[in-house]
Amino acid sequence: MGSVMRCTDWRWFASHRFRHSGLAGILLSASLLSGCSKPAQPVTITFFDSDARGVPGDHRMIPDAYLQEFTRETGIRVNDLPTPEDTSSKLDLAMNLLRSRAPSPDLYGVDTIWTGTMGEYLIDLQPYFASEIASEDPKLVEIYRIQGKVVAMPRQPLGMQVLIYRTDLLAKYGYKTPPRTWDELEKMAARIQAGERTEGKKDFWGFVWAGAIATDSEQLTMEGLEWQAAEGGGHIIESDGKISVNNANVIRAWERAAHWVGWISPPSVVSYTATDAENKFWVSGEAAFLLSHAIVYEVFAEDKPFRDLAGVTSVPAGTSARVATIGGYALGISRFSPHPAEAVKFIQFLLRKQAEFRATYPQKRERKVEYFEVPPLMKEIYPWWYKPGDSGGSEIVSRPSAVAGSNYEAVSKAYTHALHSVLTRESTAPAAAAALENELVGIMANDRAQPGTDSH
């Protein structure tokens, strides 16, 4: 490809973007093509970096090496726009730019929970990535579908929740498989914890997870949703707008998690961030089970002391289902971008690099691995996780960001504060669930669901 934007680029974009847009589209595409006789200038597109951990060693969504390679191949330059550190400030900045119809940035990193808020300002990518969308897991694509439009293309690896476990300790205590249910996890964690403490490891705990209210993290919301959905308690806000938090199944799930605190989980787990929990498991080796993300196991634990003594399985099941939340970032193109054709090329390039990474990464690592009943989606993202005869595994449960739209941040904060009050025993589960229901009704200006609502 050349170093300038060519007439064929405009013709290609116009043929896709405006073929159903009527007279206005014809006039605009004609005006674009009229300039094809003039030499075009080198194009620079701007990317709103969501600051995700893209590859090992680089804590941005897209590393410099990729940007430079793309420019060498196409001549199109990419300006990686610095963004604030915390998630809320990132979204605020992105929305200020989009609402002002700013021509830059051209591309945005779109968090899975931003789709409902950002969707109306992003173009529909279906005409340009039909085959890629068709090959993706439909449940993953639906996360980025708003009013019939697919507004962002997923960037992998993704942060699907998984249970990570110590393979050596399971073998030591006679367990052939990791737990499939929360009941099984409790029994295993309590027994292993007691056994390790009799050997002098007084700070050893059976199960660690992130129980803190963190302004830059959705971890507690994700965990709480998994716990209640696994019990049949619904999805906080259902697709029809009904609120499902004040029912017996949610209360039971919250009470079980509160019971873990000080029993199989440290009393301080209510102040643990995801990093704190990971360090307790991966660095000090003082935990048997860790609730974390697939990407942490597969990529970011490579240099940790206990990496060769860890296996991964799906989040345990409750009485109703075996589910896991998913996080991560996708790539969307602003409706106001003056360079949509170049932006599409950049996404195509990144999808190709993503496929190359998935194909070559297993050969580059040097570690022992164990996979057992992993989430089906992870078998597609990390094909080497598949084992013949493997069955089970958790399915995706999505946070209610699409239905909540711009209210989602308030919904999530209310939910985490209610759940946290139960974990810290500042409130009982029935009282917290009832208060949360009323608060969400106010946030969403919606009719409440009846207590006991079951969305399944």
Side-chain angles (χ1 to χ4, degrees), residues 102-144:
S104 179
D106 302 274
L107 295 107
Y108 285 81
V110 183
D111 191 299
T112 53
I113 59 172
W114 295 354
T115 313
T117 305
M118 297 177 68
E120 67 176 289
Y121 300 98
L122 305 175
I123 70 170
D124 185 4
L125 296 179
Q126 290 177 112
Y128 320 117
F129 296 97
S131 61
E132 291 87 349
I133 290 172
S135 65
E136 284 283 7
D137 187 293
K139 294 180 180 178
L140 180 58
V141 174
E142 285 306 308
I143 295 174
Y144 300 104

Side-chain angles (χ1 to χ4, degrees), residues 126-176:
Q126 290 177 112
Y128 320 117
F129 296 97
S131 61
E132 291 87 349
I133 290 172
S135 65
E136 284 283 7
D137 187 293
K139 294 180 180 178
L140 180 58
V141 174
E142 285 306 308
I143 295 174
Y144 300 104
R145 192 186 300 277
I146 297 294
Q147 297 179 344
K149 300 190 307 179
V150 176
V151 298
M153 287 299 295
R155 272 277 291 161
Q156 298 157 343
L158 295 166
M160 190 170 186
Q161 290 258 105
V162 293
L163 182 71
I164 302 172
Y165 58 92
R166 282 278 298 275
T167 57
D168 59 325
L169 293 179
L170 262 64
K172 178 178 178 180
Y173 290 89
Y175 298 116
K176 295 182 179 180

